[in-house]
Amino acid sequence: MSLKPWREIATPHKDVLEGTFKQAEFAADISQVANGSATDEYQDAEKFFSRTFITEGMRLLLISVAQRLASQGGDPVIQLQTAFGGGKTHTLLAVYHLASRKVGTDKLTGIPPVLDEAGIQGLPPARVAVIDGIKLSPSQPRQYGSVTANTLWGELAWQLLGDAGYEIVADSDADGTSPGKEVLTALIRKAAPCVILVDELVAFIRQLELGKHYKAGTFDSNVSFIQALTEALKAVPNAILLASLPESDLEAGGTMGQRALNSLEKYFARVESVWKPVGTEEAFEIVRRRLFEKPGERAAVEGISRQFSDFYRQHAEKFPVETQSNEYFERLCRSYPIHPEIFDRLYEDWSTLEKFQRTRGVLQYMAIVIHRLWNSDNKDALIMPGSLPLEDGNVRNKSIHYLPQGWEPVIEREVDGTRSAPYDIDGHHTLFGGVQAARRTARAIFLGSAPSTTEQMIRGVQVERILLGTVQPGQTLGVFEDVLKRLRDRLHYLYSDKDRYWLDTKPNLRREMESRKQNINERDELLPLLKTRVTQVFGRNHQLGGVHVFTPSVDVPDDYGSGPRLVVLPTNAAYSRSETNQAFTAAEEILRNRGKQPRQKQNRLIFLAPDYDVVSRLKEQARIFLAWKSIVTDIENGHLNQDLSHLKQAKRNRDGADQSLAQLVRETYKWLIAPTEAFIKGKPTLTWEVVSVSPTAPNLIRAIEEKLREEEWLIDEWSPIHLRNVLKQWYLKEGVDDVSALKVWQDCCHYLYLPRLVNDNVFRTAINQGVESEDYFAFASGKEGDRYLGFTFGRGAVATLDESSLLIDREAALAYRERTQQPLQPAPEPGASGGGAASSGGSGGTTVPDPMPGDTDTSTPAATKKRFYGTISFDPVKAKIDFATIMDEVVQQFIIKPGVSVKISVEIEASSRDAFNESMQRTVKENCNVLRFSSAEFEEES
C-alpha cells in the first residue's frame, strides 16, 4: 500500500485552510454566547455540538445536569477546577446550550445518547444565568432598564427573573450585603428549573480589598453570598450551579487572588462535585474535530496507521516500547492525521509552561501549523514533530510565545530556516537533503526539549523519540541517526547526555571549545602534543636503531648504531604526490647534514612523512582535544562555572577527541620514504622511493619493519651471493684482489647506492655463510706482505670486523690456496752443492713452504698491544661539537669491536682572577651532584 500524504486523505476546516481563523475564537467566551455576540461555531448550538467531542468528564457532567433539571437527582453544585486551558469554559458552553434548549435535543450531536443514559425522555427547558467575573466590575453597576444591579446577587436575580427577581434582592443589592440563604432559596425556587454558570469568579472577588466597601459589596459579603448560594441550591431539587475555579497560582493572580481562591474552595468543598478534566486521549479527538472537517475515511486512516505501526514493530529496538502494542495503532488512528507524538509532547511537556493552555494552546498552535503545511504542499504521511514548519514566521512566533527570552536566534540558526545549520547540512548532503533529515531532526528535538529547564533532573528527549517524531515508513533509520551525530558536532546550542538531546538558549560547551581552539599556540602547545602522540604509537620493541620524532638534524645521531634510524618528519614536511614536495626537501636536509656538519652515515636513515591531505585535519583534531582537555580541567578546578552534567559531557567529548586524534595520527603518518642513489652519467643522483603503510595495521612499528623488508630497504638476512655481487661491482675489480671487510660494512652505512643492512651481524653472517663454500669469496683476519693471516676459504669461520679483516676475491683465493699448498721437495743428498741453503729451483733443493691457511705463524710475533690511552684538550667554546667528533671518529672504533671495554673520563679545570661567588659555587655543585660527578670541589688559591 502506498504511503499517501495526509493532505490527500484529511480535509481541514475552511477557516484553518484559508488562515481566516482568529486566535481569540479558540478561546470560548461564555458571556458573548449569553448576550448573542459570539461567532456561529459557539453561538449556534447545532454547530457547537457538531464540532464538540463529548469527553468522558463532559458526558458525566451533562448526565448530572440533565438529571438535576428533571428533578431526578444529580449534584446541586459542580466545581470545574483544572489546569490552565483544560477545557472548562467549553464545558460550561455545552451546559448552556443543553439547558437553554433553543433547538430540540435530537439536533444536538452526541446529546441523545447522554439523555438515554440519564434515563430522561424529555428534558424541560431551563433558565440560565451567566456570571462572568471578568466582565463584571465591583465599582461599576450594570443598568438593565430601570434596574441598576450593583452586586453579584443583583446580577443573578435579574438574569433569572428580570425585574421581579431583582425586587427579591433589591435591598441587599443596594447596601452591598449578602441576601442570606432564605432569600436566595426563594429566588432560585421561583426561577427553577434553572442553571447558574459562574466563570472566573476569583477574578472578580480578588479586586475587593479587605476592609474596603465597594458598590458590589465587600470581600466578606461576597464570600458570604457564595456560601449562602451553595446552601440554597441544595434546597431546590431542579437547580444547579457550575463554577470554574483556577488551579494554578498564576491564574489566581497575586495575594488577594489566592486569598479569594482559598475562601471559595472552602465553601464549594462542602457541596461540590469535582469535574473530571479532559484526558490526553480525549484531547486528540477534540483537536481533530475542531481543526478537520473530514479526518479521512476509516479504511484509509487505518491503512496509513498500520504501515506506521508495522514499521515501528520491524525496528522495535529503535522506538519506544509503547509503539509495539496494538494500543499505539489505535492511537495513530484516533489522532490521524496528527502523529500522537505531537500530542504527547504538547500535553506532557509544553503544558508545564505557565502561559500554555492545554486544549486551547494546542488548537491555536496546530491551526497555524496545518495552515502553513497545507499551503506549502507538505507531502508527509502524518503531521509529525519533524514536520513543524518552524521556518515560517507565524509558526516560529507562536512557538517562542510560550518560551523565555532568547529562543528566536536559536531557531533561526540551529533549527530551521534558510540560514540555519540543519538547512545547510541538508543542502550539502544529498543523503540527508532527500528526506530533510537534519531539519526534521532539529525540529523534533526543539519540540521535545524547549519547555525543559535547567532545574530538571533529567533533560532532553531520547533518541528513540527523536526517531519516532521524524522517520516515516520506507525511510532509512541510519540516515537520521547519522545526521543526529552531525548536528551534535556542529550545533552550538544543542546539548547531549548519553541518549538524550536538548536545545537551550545558552551556548553549549562546544562554543567554548571553538573559542579555545582558536587560541591554542602552535609552537608551545600543538606541536609538543603531536610529538608526544606520534611518539606513543611506536613503542620500544623494534629492530631500528632509534625513532626520532620531529628531531632537528643536529640531534639525529650520525653513527653505525644497532640499526637504521627512523626519522619522523614534522607536520610542515608533509608528503604529497605533487612535484613540489615538502617531505623530500626536509628529509634531504637531515640526510646530508647533521647540524652544520656533513653527515657521514647517510644510509642509516629512513623517513616517515605525514600525508599532506590529512595534516590539516590532524592539527584541527589536536586543537579540539587540547580545548576539551582545558575545559575539563577548568570545570574541575572551579575556573569554569558549569554543572555536573556539563562536566560529564566535557569528559566524553575530551575522550572522544582523544580517540579521534589517535586514529588521525595513524592516518596521517603513513608515507615511508627511503633515500637511494642511482648513477646517471657516472655521477650519483639522489632519488626517493615512497610506499604507504596501512593506517589500520595493529602495530605501526611492526608494519614499518615488514614494509622495509618487503621493499628490500632494510636487509636483515643477506645472501653471500649478494655480498659477492657488491664486491665485484664496487671493490674487487681492475686487478684488486682483496678489500677491507670493515670498509665494506662502513661503506654500506655511508653510501645510498649500497644495501642498507640492519646491523653488522647481518654483514658478518653473510661472510660466515659465504666462506663455507668456494663459490663466493674468502676471508682473512689480516695480511703481511703477500701472505694472508687466518685465511679461510671453503670451510666455516667466525668473521671479525676490524681494520685488518679482509674479503678476498674468489679467483684470487683459489690461486692463493693453490700457490700455498705446493708439495714439499725431497731433501738434498749428502755432499750436494748448496751447503744446505734453501734453493728456489734446482732439483735436490729443499723448499720451506708458506704456512697453510689457518696455520699459526711460528716466527717471532710483534709485541701484543692490548691497551689504548689518549688525552686531548678542548676549546671550551666548541667543546660540545669537538666531543661529538671524538666520539664518532675514535671511541666508536672501539665500541664496534667485540670484547673491547671503553672508559671515558672528563676532567674540568676552571680558574678565575676573582673569587667565584657563592651563587655560582652553589649552582655548579648542585648540577655536578645531579650529574653524578665523582668529585667536584672549589679550592682556595695556594
Side-chain angles (χ1 to χ4, degrees):
M1 181 181 291
S2 62
L3 201 63
K4 286 187 177 181
W6 65 270
R7 59 186 294 113
E8 296 181 12
I9 298 175
T11 305
H13 282 297
K14 184 178 179 181
D15 57 350
V16 177
L17 280 177
E18 297 177 352
T20 57
F21 56 84
K22 298 177 181 178
Q23 292 186 19
E25 291 180 359
F26 286 113
D29 189 326
I30 194 167
S31 293
Q32 290 182 356
V33 174
N35 61 34
S37 62
T39 57
D40 281 351
E41 64 179 289
Y42 292 114
Q43 191 70 55
D44 185 282
E46 290 185 64
K47 290 184 178 180
F48 173 81
F49 278 106
S50 69
R51 291 193 178 190
T52 296
F53 173 70
I54 298 179
T55 66
E56 176 68 11
M58 185 184 293
R59 183 182 65 81
L60 295 174
L61 185 144
L62 292 177
I63 289 173
S64 182
V65 169
Q67 290 174 339
R68 187 73 180 173
L69 294 179
S71 300
Q72 295 182 15
D75 300 304
V77 177
I78 298 177
Q79 179 203 146
L80 286 72
Q81 184 177 46
T82 185
F84 198 35
K88 53 182 177 282
T89 305
H90 204 84
T91 301
L92 290 175
L93 285 175
V95 174
Y96 177 90
H97 285 302
L98 178 65
S100 61
R101 296 290 310 285
K102 301 292 177 62
V103 296
T105 55
D106 59 323
K107 296 183 179 180
L108 304 180
T109 305
I111 292 301
V114 171
L115 296 180
D116 290 343
E117 188 174 354
I120 298 173
Q121 299 301 321
L123 183 67
R127 292 184 174 90
V128 180
V130 176
I131 305 297
D132 189 341
I134 293 179
K135 301 296 181 182
L136 302 178
S137 170
S139 300
Q140 295 180 342
R142 276 75 58 203
Q143 194 70 37
Y144 301 109
S146 59
V147 172
T148 300
N150 297 291
T151 62
L152 291 178
W153 43 95
E155 180 74 18
L156 173 64
W158 191 88
Q159 286 195 35
L160 288 176
L161 295 171
D163 292 353
Y166 181 77
E167 285 299 323
I168 297 175
V169 298
D171 293 340
S172 297
D173 182 68
D175 56 20
T177 58
S178 175
K181 174 183 174 181
E182 289 75 11
V183 174
L184 291 175
T185 300
L187 171 68
I188 293 171
R189 182 173 285 115
K190 190 174 181 179
C194 64
V195 175
I196 302 171
L197 304 177
V198 180
D199 195 18
E200 305 291 355
L201 182 59
V202 171
F204 179 83
I205 296 181
R206 71 188 177 200
Q207 300 178 66
L208 306 173
E209 294 183 21
L210 293 176
K212 189 174 181 180
H213 195 285
Y214 297 84
K215 292 182 178 180
T218 62
F219 179 90
D220 292 334
S221 65
N222 277 268
V223 171
S224 297
F225 163 68
I226 296 301
Q227 181 183 6
L229 179 63
T230 56
E231 293 294 332
L233 283 163
K234 290 192 295 183
V236 182
N238 54 350
I240 186 171
L241 166 68
L242 285 83
S244 69
L245 296 179
E247 183 181 63
S248 66
D249 294 343
L250 174 67
E251 287 185 275
T255 303
M256 286 304 299
Q258 192 61 49
R259 182 188 294 270
L261 178 59
N262 293 339
S263 299
L264 294 173
E265 283 180 332
K266 181 173 62 176
Y267 296 119
F268 274 117
R270 295 179 181 177
V271 291
E272 69 176 352
S273 174
V274 179
W275 165 73
K276 182 181 178 181
V278 176
T280 302
E281 298 298 317
E282 295 173 327
F284 290 7
E285 185 62 32
I286 293 174
V287 172
R288 184 169 76 163
R289 187 169 295 197
R290 173 59 187 86
L291 297 176
F292 291 93
E293 182 179 346
K294 297 178 181 178
E297 297 295 332
R298 179 67 184 178
V301 170
E302 287 187 352
I304 297 295
S305 300
R306 178 59 64 190
Q307 290 187 69
F308 272 87
S309 181
D310 291 346
F311 180 69
Y312 296 149
R313 291 181 179 182
Q314 289 169 8
H315 305 279
E317 73 283 358
K318 300 293 185 180
F319 294 104
V321 175
E322 68 264 24
T323 62
Q324 306 306 301
S325 67
N326 195 59
E327 173 60 25
Y328 201 79
F329 165 72
E330 295 295 335
R331 290 188 75 197
L332 286 163
C333 294
R334 288 197 300 271
S335 64
Y336 183 88
I338 300 173
H339 196 287
E341 185 65 10
I342 284 188
F343 285 115
D344 288 345
R345 299 285 63 78
L346 291 177
Y347 277 92
E348 293 177 16
D349 301 335
W350 287 71
S351 63
T352 61
L353 299 173
E354 289 185 336
K355 294 188 294 182
F356 190 86
Q357 300 176 337
R358 284 171 60 89
T359 305
R360 189 182 306 172
V362 173
L363 277 171
Q364 293 175 350
Y365 189 66
M366 292 309 299
I368 299 174
V369 168
I370 294 167
H371 170 71
R372 171 63 180 175
L373 292 177
W374 184 272
N375 288 332
S376 63
D377 197 26
N378 178 263
K379 299 293 187 183
D380 289 346
L382 287 177
I383 299 172
M384 308 172 71
S387 309
L388 300 179
L390 293 169
E391 78 277 8
D392 179 71
N394 291 331
V395 177
R396 182 184 302 174
N397 291 339
K398 193 64 180 176
S399 301
I400 65 176
H401 173 73
Y402 305 107
L403 300 174
Q405 291 285 332
W407 275 99
E408 184 168 6
V410 175
I411 295 177
E412 185 176 352
R413 298 172 192 168
E414 310 223 325
V415 180
D416 208 353
T418 56
R419 295 192 296 173
S420 68
Y423 183 90
D424 182 67
I425 293 173
D426 283 340
H428 286 84
H429 300 82
T430 306
L431 190 64
F432 301 146
V435 291
Q436 293 190 4
R439 276 172 284 178
R440 290 176 66 84
T441 301
R443 294 164 182 163
I445 295 173
F446 169 78
L447 187 69
S449 65
S452 65
T453 62
T454 55
E455 288 76 23
Q456 289 179 326
M457 293 297 292
I458 301 177
R459 298 190 67 186
V461 58
Q462 293 170 294
V463 173
E464 60 184 16
R465 295 209 168 272
I466 297 173
L467 296 176
L468 182 64
T470 54
V471 189
Q472 300 183 86
Q475 295 177 343
T476 305
L477 283 164
V479 171
F480 291 85
E481 292 174 317
D482 289 346
V483 85
L484 185 58
K485 297 174 184 176
R486 189 74 60 94
L487 292 171
R488 181 191 62 193
D489 293 338
R490 181 163 174 181
L491 300 187
H492 291 155
Y493 293 88
L494 179 63
Y495 291 79
S496 65
D497 184 12
K498 296 180 181 178
D499 68 333
R500 305 183 77 90
Y501 289 78
W502 68 94
L503 286 159
D504 203 336
T505 53
K506 292 192 306 182
N508 60 24
L509 290 175
R510 188 164 299 279
R511 174 160 290 189
E512 176 70 20
M513 183 276 293
E514 292 288 346
S515 175
R516 294 190 179 208
K517 184 179 71 174
Q518 303 303 322
N519 296 325
I520 289 173
N521 184 279
E522 181 162 343
R523 185 190 67 183
D524 298 336
E525 297 177 85
L526 182 64
L527 292 181
L529 170 68
L530 290 178
K531 181 175 181 178
T532 300
R533 299 307 295 270
V534 173
T535 303
Q536 289 174 352
V537 302
F538 293 103
R540 295 184 178 181
N541 298 321
H542 50 74
Q543 289 184 318
L544 300 173
V547 178
H548 307 278
V549 180
F550 302 179
T551 306
S553 66
V554 69
D555 293 327
V556 177
D558 186 19
D559 57 12
Y560 298 106
S562 59
R565 298 183 179 275
L566 180 68
V567 179
V568 183
L569 299 177
T571 54
N572 62 354
Y575 171 76
S576 171
R577 297 182 186 274
S578 63
E579 294 181 3
T580 57
N581 207 299
Q582 299 169 330
F584 294 164
T585 303
E588 184 172 4
E589 173 60 28
I590 298 174
L591 181 72
R592 298 304 194 193
N593 301 291
R594 184 187 182 195
K596 296 182 179 180
Q597 301 296 322
R599 185 175 295 277
Q600 302 297 323
K601 293 81 174 177
Q602 296 182 10
N603 208 27
R604 303 307 283 164
L605 300 184
I606 298 288
F607 298 90
L608 184 67
D611 187 284
Y612 182 83
D613 296 327
V614 189
V615 161
S616 59
R617 287 168 48 206
L618 175 67
K619 288 186 174 181
E620 178 73 6
Q621 189 61 42
R623 291 180 184 275
I624 291 173
F625 169 73
L626 286 171
W628 281 121
K629 182 180 178 183
S630 69
I631 289 173
V632 170
T633 301
D634 285 354
I635 295 177
E636 291 178 335
N637 294 339
H639 298 151
L640 190 62
N641 185 19
Q642 296 287 347
D643 55 27
L644 182 60
S645 67
H646 287 167
L647 175 59
K648 292 180 179 178
Q649 180 192 9
K651 286 184 176 180
R652 283 197 301 274
N653 288 330
R654 177 200 60 189
D655 296 343
D658 189 15
Q659 294 177 2
S660 298
L661 179 59
Q663 180 179 347
L664 270 175
V665 166
R666 291 294 305 273
E667 291 180 14
T668 304
Y669 280 89
K670 64 182 241 182
W671 294 111
L672 202 56
I673 301 177
T676 185
E677 282 183 337
F679 279 81
I680 300 176
K681 295 181 180 181
K683 183 178 181 180
T685 303
L686 177 64
T687 58
W688 300 95
E689 295 183 354
V690 183
V691 294
S692 64
V693 181
S694 172
T696 60
N699 187 307
L700 177 60
I701 196 68
R702 293 284 179 268
I704 289 174
E705 290 175 345
E706 289 174 6
K707 184 65 69 173
L708 290 174
R709 285 192 293 268
E710 179 184 320
E711 298 293 331
E712 296 186 352
W713 294 349
L714 184 60
I715 299 172
D716 56 5
E717 293 183 1
W718 204 24
S719 172
I721 186 64
H722 296 306
L723 174 54
R724 170 180 166 79
N725 292 338
V726 169
L727 295 175
K728 297 294 286 183
Q729 182 178 4
W730 301 106
Y731 300 100
L732 305 179
K733 58 183 181 178
E734 299 178 358
V736 178
D737 293 336
D738 55 54
V739 64
S740 168
L742 181 61
K743 173 177 172 58
V744 177
W745 155 243
Q746 291 178 340
D747 285 352
C748 285
C749 297
H750 290 196
Y751 303 117
L752 300 174
Y753 52 81
L754 293 177
R756 186 179 295 105
L757 307 180
V758 171
N759 50 42
D760 58 354
N761 287 332
V762 176
F763 187 73
R764 282 198 297 266
T765 301
I767 296 175
N768 294 336
Q769 292 176 350
V771 299
E772 288 180 356
S773 74
E774 299 179 0
D775 298 331
Y776 307 111
F777 45 77
F779 175 79
S781 58
K783 186 176 184 181
E784 291 183 354
D786 59 354
R787 184 161 53 91
Y788 291 113
L789 304 178
F791 180 80
T792 306
F793 185 52
R795 60 192 177 88
V798 178
T800 58
L801 290 180
D802 55 34
E803 293 181 351
S804 303
S805 303
L806 295 172
L807 292 171
I808 306 165
D809 180 66
R810 175 178 178 273
E811 286 69 22
L814 288 170
Y816 176 76
R817 187 176 64 181
E818 182 178 352
R819 184 173 72 249
T820 58
Q821 288 184 341
Q822 292 179 357
L824 293 174
Q825 298 295 325
E829 295 180 2
S833 62
S839 171
S840 63
S843 62
T846 302
T847 303
V848 181
D850 286 339
M852 290 294 291
D855 287 354
T856 304
D857 190 355
T858 58
S859 60
T860 303
T864 303
K865 299 177 181 179
K866 295 184 177 182
R867 290 184 179 273
F868 167 81
Y869 297 96
T871 59
I872 187 173
S873 297
F874 290 127
D875 180 345
V877 176
K878 300 190 302 175
K880 184 176 181 180
I881 297 175
D882 292 343
F883 188 79
T885 303
I886 295 298
M887 287 296 298
D888 288 345
E889 303 302 331
V890 178
V891 177
Q892 188 69 28
Q893 303 300 320
F894 295 114
I895 292 176
I896 64 174
K897 185 173 180 63
V900 177
S901 61
V902 179
K903 293 183 180 180
I904 302 172
S905 298
V906 177
E907 182 177 315
I908 303 172
E909 180 178 341
S911 59
S912 174
R913 291 175 299 179
D914 302 320
F916 294 114
N917 59 42
E918 291 185 2
S919 175
M920 174 178 284
Q921 292 183 48
R922 182 171 60 253
T923 300
V924 172
K925 283 185 177 181
E926 289 177 356
N927 291 343
C928 290
N929 185 47
V930 171
L931 295 172
R932 299 185 178 179
F933 274 49
S934 58
S935 63
E937 297 293 339
F938 285 87
E939 299 176 351
E940 295 182 359
E941 187 175 10
S942 59

